[in-house]
Amino acid sequence: MVKDQTRHVVITIGFVAILMLFFLANIVKQDQVISITERRKLAQFPEITLKTLTNGEVSKKIEDYTVDQFVIRDTFRGVKSFFSRNILRQQDNNGLFEKNGAIYKMEYPLNEKNVNQSIDKINEIYEKYLQGKKVYYAIIPDKNYYLKEDEHLKFDYNKIKQIALEKLKHMQYIDIWEDLELKDYYTTDLHWRQENLQNVVKKIQVSMKNENREEMPYIKTNMGKFYGTYYGQLAVHVKPDEMYILTNDIIENCKTYNYEKKEISTIYHNTNSKDKYDIYLSGPTPLIHIENPKANEEKELLIFRDSYGSSLAPLLVQNYRKITLIDLRYISSTLLEDYIEFKNQDVLFLYSTLVLNQNVLK
């Protein structure tokens, strides 16, 4: 009996000591602004006012703050992921799953309403700015498309194509789906690998009648380890990717202008971003243009794009004096005339299935 009581006292004291240790550690720990592993901003301690106290808003924000700023949070996330996958045998953890050393995000089901609205926005831009111009579009499949049918629930990809083909009647479709395969995507991220896009570039050039340009070979440069967005979000240890950039004399002599930052830079730009993919055209931005002083013609190209276009656009500069990239997730289409003179440019809409399914184009 005495031994049992002693054991209970020791367990109780130990439990309280652990709670106090974590309590003190969280008080001493400096709050973090960004989670490097999750690639997102973390909740900060909220401003407390009479209004937020009475409407209950402050309690929710404090809860978010506590969860985001908890000491050794990443360790606990890793333990949870391990327990979910290896003990409970769950297929996914927060919508992410690992298969054959690669990480995927469940993208299901298809939201036809969102896809229709995304395509309608593209049509709206065509009607307002692009009538009579040479306009092309390509849809980028997310990497889940290349998983086997019995490995994972997928979008109805044929439905996405069907909606686009039925509605985008004034544009020429460039089908790049057969020019890609699973190895062309990062294992720890959603994006495609720039060094594997030669077939896609060739298909676009041929479709846009730029195939006769003399090709300049690329130099492939290793930029080191790449821990993609999915790597931190799933909190499992898989082999990181190697990131490469393709460059040549033309690309190295190009200059970019970022309208948001009012900054002149190079195509490959080492930023302070936590996401290494931002090396391509300095990451997400509403509007940026590339100028190629070595172009043989005065041709221009407009690319309406998402983040996949950041790594593809540098491989298209050889045929154009200027390429302007527009990301409608960050700028309203109603503002485009303030920055772009629509004239005799080639136009390419380049959007992933992920973006089309979200309806985030403004």
Side-chain angles (χ1 to χ4, degrees), residues 122-135 170-171 302 342-345 347 349:
I122 293 173
N123 257 332
E124 177 187 315
I125 293 167
Y126 174 86
E127 293 296 332
K128 185 172 183 179
Y129 301 115
L130 306 175
Q131 292 190 53
K133 294 179 173 52
K134 292 182 290 185
V135 184
H170 302 291
M171 307 180 193
L302 304 179
F342 290 95
K343 45 186 180 180
N344 191 31
Q345 300 106 327
V347 183
F349 286 90

Side-chain angles (χ1 to χ4, degrees), residues 278-317:
D278 289 351
I279 193 171
Y280 300 109
L281 297 177
S282 66
T285 188
L287 200 61
I288 191 169
H289 77 239
I290 306 169
E291 292 189 1
N292 173 17
K294 294 200 169 188
N296 294 323
E297 301 179 53
E298 294 298 321
K299 293 181 63 175
E300 291 189 22
L301 172 65
L302 304 179
I303 303 180
F304 292 84
R305 55 88 181 209
D306 54 29
S307 54
Y308 286 81
S310 295
S311 53
L312 179 72
L315 308 183
L316 298 175
V317 296

Side-chain angles (χ1 to χ4, degrees), residues 100-130:
N100 299 325
I103 304 174
Y104 303 84
K105 185 174 183 179
M106 287 191 174
E107 301 291 348
Y108 181 87
L110 181 71
N111 189 321
E112 287 191 38
K113 179 180 178 182
N114 281 352
V115 174
N116 273 285
Q117 290 177 339
S118 297
I119 299 298
D120 288 342
K121 172 56 69 172
I122 293 173
N123 257 332
E124 177 187 315
I125 293 167
Y126 174 86
E127 293 296 332
K128 185 172 183 179
Y129 301 115
L130 306 175

Side-chain angles (χ1 to χ4, degrees), residues 107-235:
E107 301 291 348
Y108 181 87
L110 181 71
N111 189 321
E112 287 191 38
K113 179 180 178 182
N114 281 352
V115 174
N116 273 285
Q117 290 177 339
S118 297
I119 299 298
D120 288 342
K121 172 56 69 172
I122 293 173
N123 257 332
E124 177 187 315
I125 293 167
Y126 174 86
E127 293 296 332
K128 185 172 183 179
Y129 301 115
L130 306 175
Q131 292 190 53
K133 294 179 173 52
K134 292 182 290 185
V135 184
Y136 307 82
Y137 75 95
I139 300 171
I140 304 167
D142 62 88
K143 66 181 183 179
N144 292 2
Y145 171 76
Y146 297 98
L147 286 173
K148 294 179 181 177
E149 289 297 333
D150 59 347
E151 290 181 321
H152 179 52
L153 291 172
K154 299 182 181 183
F155 284 156
D156 183 348
Y157 290 100
N158 287 330
K159 188 64 178 180
I160 297 177
K161 286 185 176 182
Q162 178 187 342
I163 293 171
L165 287 169
E166 288 177 356
K167 289 195 166 187
L168 301 177
K169 295 183 180 298
H170 302 291
M171 307 180 193
Q172 180 177 328
Y173 176 51
I174 304 174
D175 191 346
I176 61 174
W177 294 48
E178 298 304 318
D179 299 290
L180 291 162
E181 50 188 308
L182 196 54
K183 69 179 181 62
D184 298 328
Y185 295 78
Y186 291 112
T187 60
T188 64
D189 198 76
L190 68 158
H191 293 107
W192 52 15
R193 301 171 181 267
Q194 188 194 51
E195 69 273 17
N196 289 0
L197 296 182
Q198 309 283 25
N199 290 338
V200 172
V201 171
K202 188 55 129 180
K203 175 65 71 66
I204 291 173
Q205 287 176 329
V206 169
S207 299
M208 299 179 70
K209 299 178 176 55
N210 289 321
E211 70 275 20
N212 295 323
R213 305 300 191 273
E214 183 179 350
E215 294 291 336
M216 177 173 285
Y218 295 106
I219 298 171
K220 180 179 174 181
T221 304
N222 190 330
M223 303 305 293
K225 304 294 183 187
F226 175 47
Y227 298 86
T229 300
Y230 292 164
Y231 183 92
Q233 291 178 351
L234 186 57

